[in-house]
Structures are given as structure tokens and as C-alpha cells.
Amino acid sequence: MIDVNAFLFSVLVFSLIMNLGISLYGIFWRPSLVKKIIALTILGDTANVLAIVVGYRAWIAPNRPPIPPVLTTWKPTATDLSKFSSLAVDPLPQALVLTAVVIGLAVTVFLVFLTIQVYRLHGTTDVRKIAKLKG
Amino acid sequence: MISPETLVFGVLAALGLISMVATFMAVMERDLLKAVLFSAVQSTAYAFMFYILMAPDILLVYVPVAVGLYPAVILFLIKKTERFEGGEEE
Amino acid sequence: MRRAYKYAVLVAMIVSTLALALAVSAGGLGYALPFPAVRNLAYWYLRTTYNPFMPKFTASAPEAVTAIVWDYRGLDTLFETSVFFLAIIASMALMRGIEVKAPKSINLSKYGMSAIVKTVTKITVAIILAASASIALHGQLTPGGGFQGGATAAVAPLVIIVIFSLYFAVSSGIKKKSMLTLRTLGLLGIGVTSFAVIVAGLILGKAAYVFQNQPKEAAPIGFPSHILGVPMGGTLLFFNIFEFLAVAAGFTIVFLLLSVPEESVRKVLEGGEGHD
């Protein structure tokens, strides 16, 4: 007997893994440096979503979803705290992804400046033509 | 009768397939402007995924970065270099 | 022919995704996704992020993600911030010698889009800045924080550059130098906040750690956890404010450099070669 929910969640996971493969193809085989940058951003984003998926947890009942890792009361009782920790998703991957997204943009911007500089010097962003240049 | 859990996971699976198609089109497209648009579609699907996967913090940082700033930076890059992959349109 | 081949590959990938998912959900790996529980480490974070019953262990912020980013794994984030700093510095080094300035005697109203768009943009920019400040300052209570607020605020200068033109942005005070000052201020603030408790400990003659937030068993001093009854998360509030400044100003510098017209850059580059 196949669990429909597990099937649908596995579709998500495997489509993300396929995205990793497609973006790696883009980085390695497409000739344009701009296309390589676009594929690199997709690779980074996909890795981030996979990290969040690892931190997700199953529903405890068909109508009780997990909650975000944010406590909504300032004066919690012991019951509130145990309910919170039994329902909330893992906050650690979220904290790591949070910084990774911003740093990823900064590094991408640096790559963009490098590509502009290559175009200024050689007049092309095609790696096949750049490889043939001498000097 | 579909249970809420199946509905939510079905939306997640649909978003996964949408992002896969958008990634494929973005990587295969020769017109780089269209590639950026497909990449933005993929980013939007990922943003909805973050929302459904209970990560509001990541959603808040991902929407401005990946839907706003990434396409803008790449569009600046395309404006300063060339629009078509592998030389001008044949 | 090529086109049909492309779509065949896409359909094959979708079918193989569905087949792999079917195999896993039928028990191909011995377990099903998603996992029923989070790991023990996550339980510890969730139990202690805001826990008045364990005052020696709590980070005193109801928002677990911000607590991990700036308290539990604060040193990690400090090094991430230095990677961010270096990436921006490297971009600026590639564009060295290129000044971002408006030509003298310029009619600013001739540049940019129509007056309607400009009026709407003025309102939008104010809303963006207010929303980003709210995201950054409530980081210890609600989803948000310095990184999120900074990334949101960086949209505002980009919109100004695109709608009004680069020259308007420069003449209205969004300059490379002032943004660099703001960014340095943010980074200095992060440094000062991370060493504040250890300096206070040295003065008072008590033990303290770098990146300490709340009082611990062996280090009895720390930042105040509540102000007027509202959880402030001690150092988290200050880290969020300074990171907000650093991220927003850093991205603004990059957009200013990116939007310099290519002709003026080439003039500088060619002129530089001529002098050598």
C-alpha cells in the first residue's frame, strides 16, 4: 500500500534533486558565462531548499501541521513549551540558510563584476572564444 | 474527500515540478533575457515552498533577494554584455 | 528536430522523478519522507530559546532562528559577515578608480521615467524602508532580523536608480562614500557588541565570554533580557540593527557601481592605460 502523502513529498525531494542535476549541467556545459551564473544561483537556491526540507517534520495528525520555530507567547507555561517543541520544525537549517542566501547574493555580484571585466577586455562572454584567445 | 495534509503536500509536489520545468527552460534557453524570466519563475516556486515548509524567516530574506535583486543584477549584466548565448541570433 | 529532442528530455525527467518518488514511497529505502521528528539538537534549541524556567541556558528570544543566528552560533555568523564584507570589497576593487558622480549642470528631470511613475515610486520607497526597519527591529520577536531587513532595504536604492536614474540617486545623498561609512559603522557595531560583555567583565572583575548574551553559570553578567516587559533578547537587538546597516549599505554600493554607464567606465580604463 502506497502512502499518498509520502509519495507527494518524495516528488518534491526528487524534483529538487533533478534541479541540482540540471543546474550542474548548466554550469559545466553551457558556453555563456551569464548562463553559468544563472545556473549557479539555481544550484545554490536548490541546496538551500533541500536543507529546509531536511528540517521539516511529519504532521502529527492530518489536520495538525507543524508550526514555525517562533514562540507566540511572552509568558509561557511548561505545557506551552513542551507543545512548542513537539510541533515546531527544526530551526537550525533555517538559521544556516538565512545567512547563505545573503552571502550567495554578494558572491554572485562579485562574479557579475568579473564577467563584466572579461567582456571589457575580450569583447565576449563565450568561454569557447575566451579559451582560444592568446595573451 | 482530500485531507488537508494531502492537499498541502500536493501543492508542494506541484511546486517542485513547476520549479523543475522552469529550471530546465532557464538552462536550455539561448535568449538570456528569457532565461532570467524562467529563473524568476523558479525563484517564485521556491518562495512558496519556503512558506509552506514553515520557514517565514527564509521567506522574508528570499523574496527580496531571489525575486527582486538577483534578476535585477543579472539584467544589469546582460545590458552591459551580450544578450544571446553563443553570439548574436543566427 | 532539436526542439522535439529538448521536450522529450524534459518529459523523461518528469517521468523519472515520479517513478523514483513512487519507489521511495513504496518503501524502497526502508523509510518514508518526511521524518516524523526533528533531531535532539533541535529539541534543545526549541526548549531553551525562550524558557523562563532555565534562566542559565535561555537566549531569551521567542524567535528561535534569530537566537541561533546571533547567539548559539554567533561566531559562525560573524565569519559569514566577513565573507560578505570581502565579496563586496572584491567587487569594489574590480571597479577601482571609477567615480560614481553626476555631471555638473545636469537637468535631473530629463532622466528616468515619467512623473506619475516617479510619484508612485516616492511612496513605494518610503513603504519599503518602513517595512524593512520593522522587519529588522522586531527580529527577536517575530520572523525577521538584520539579514532580512537589510536585503529588503537594499531594494529601495535599486528602485530609485532604475526609476529616477543614477544621477538623481547620487545627488540626493546615496553616495559611495556615505554608504561605505554606514557599512563600516555597522561592522564596528557588530564588533563592539560581541566584545561588550567581556570588557564589562574585565572592568567588574567577573568572568565573561566573547559573544555572551545572557548570564551563564560561570559568567554571571550579561545584557538585559527584557526592557519594559518586552523580550529584547539582549545582544540580538543590537546585532540585528548593525547587520541591517551593513547589509543594506553594502548592497547599495554594489548597485551604484553596477549602474555606472559603460562608456564612462571605458573612458577611465583607456585613460589609465595611456598614462602608464
Side-chain angles (χ1 to χ4, degrees), chain B residues 58-88:
Chain B
I58 315 298
L59 181 76
L60 280 174
V61 74
Y62 191 80
V63 166
V65 166
V67 186
L69 302 181
Y70 262 141
V73 167
I74 305 282
L75 286 180
F76 269 121
L77 173 62
I78 293 171
K79 189 183 150 206
K80 290 190 169 225
T81 58
E82 51 196 0
R83 180 170 166 185
F84 290 98
E85 189 175 29
E88 290 299 316

Side-chain angles (χ1 to χ4, degrees), chain A residues 2-3 5-7 9-11 13-15 18 22 54-58 69-71 73-78 81-82 84-86 88-96 98-100 102-103 105-107 109-110 112-114 116-117 119-120, chain C residues 13 16-18 20-22 24-25 32-36 38-39 41-43 45-47 50-53 62-65 68-69 73 76-77 80 83-84 87 90-91 94-95 141 143 147-148 229-231 251 254 257-258 262 265-266 269:
Chain A
I2 289 165
D3 184 358
N5 299 330
F7 169 70
F9 201 78
S10 308
V11 169
V13 172
F14 281 107
S15 54
M18 286 287 178
I22 299 168
V54 167
Y56 195 65
R57 67 196 294 172
V70 181
L71 195 60
T73 170
W74 293 352
K75 292 188 173 58
T77 59
L81 285 172
S82 60
F84 174 61
S85 61
S86 66
V89 299
D90 193 342
L92 183 60
Q94 299 197 13
L96 299 179
L98 179 64
T99 50
V102 176
I103 310 303
L105 177 60
V107 173
V109 165
F110 174 53
V112 164
F113 275 112
L114 277 180
I116 293 175
Q117 195 74 4
Y119 186 77
R120 276 178 202 146
Chain C
M13 291 181 85
S16 58
T17 303
L18 295 176
L20 279 168
L22 199 64
V24 168
S25 58
L33 299 167
F35 300 115
V38 292
R39 286 157 300 165
L41 184 64
Y43 275 117
Y45 286 141
L46 292 170
R47 292 293 295 192
Y50 187 78
N51 193 333
F53 310 108
E63 230 272 77
V65 178
I68 292 174
V69 164
R73 303 190 65 84
D76 206 9
T77 312
E80 298 250 20
V83 171
F84 175 77
S91 308
L94 272 179
M95 296 285 280
L141 298 176
F147 285 103
Q148 294 96 318
V230 179
F251 281 139
V254 169
L257 288 176
L258 255 184
E262 197 67 1
V265 176
R266 280 182 188 277
L269 288 179

Side-chain angles (χ1 to χ4, degrees), chain C residues 16 19 27 29 31 49 54 61 74 79 92 94 98 107 117 120 130 140 164 174 177 189 204 208 213:
Chain C
S16 58
L29 292 177
Y31 54 82
T49 178
M54 298 160 84
F79 288 120
M92 287 168 67
L94 272 179
I98 291 156
N107 185 8
V117 183
V120 173
Q140 77 280 19
F164 284 92
I174 309 176
K177 211 166 227 175
L204 296 173
N213 179 3

Side-chain angles (χ1 to χ4, degrees), chain A:
Chain A
M1 183 58 201
I2 289 165
D3 184 358
V4 180
N5 299 330
F7 169 70
L8 291 172
F9 201 78
S10 308
V11 169
L12 171 71
V13 172
F14 281 107
S15 54
L16 289 175
I17 292 172
M18 286 287 178
N19 277 354
L20 284 181
I22 299 168
S23 52
L24 278 176
Y25 165 79
I27 292 171
F28 287 130
W29 288 95
R30 300 302 290 189
S32 166
L33 284 173
V34 182
K35 182 57 73 62
K36 280 177 197 290
I37 290 177
I38 294 174
L40 190 67
T41 64
I42 296 176
L43 181 74
D45 287 353
T46 310
N48 290 338
V49 182
L50 272 175
I52 298 292
V53 166
V54 167
Y56 195 65
R57 67 196 294 172
W59 292 32
I60 52 170
N63 52 1
R64 287 294 297 281
I67 57 173
V70 181
L71 195 60
T72 47
T73 170
W74 293 352
K75 292 188 173 58
T77 59
T79 358
D80 285 341
L81 285 172
S82 60
K83 211 170 131 192
F84 174 61
S85 61
S86 66
L87 273 177
V89 299
D90 193 342
L92 183 60
Q94 299 197 13
L96 299 179
V97 167
L98 179 64
T99 50
V101 170
V102 176
I103 310 303
L105 177 60
V107 173
T108 306
V109 165
F110 174 53
L111 292 177
V112 164
F113 275 112
L114 277 180
T115 309
I116 293 175
Q117 195 74 4
V118 164
Y119 186 77
R120 276 178 202 146
L121 296 177
H122 301 305
T124 179
T125 56
D126 192 324
V127 284
R128 293 168 303 190
K129 289 179 193 161
I130 294 169
K132 281 183 198 148
L133 292 169
K134 295 209 173 75

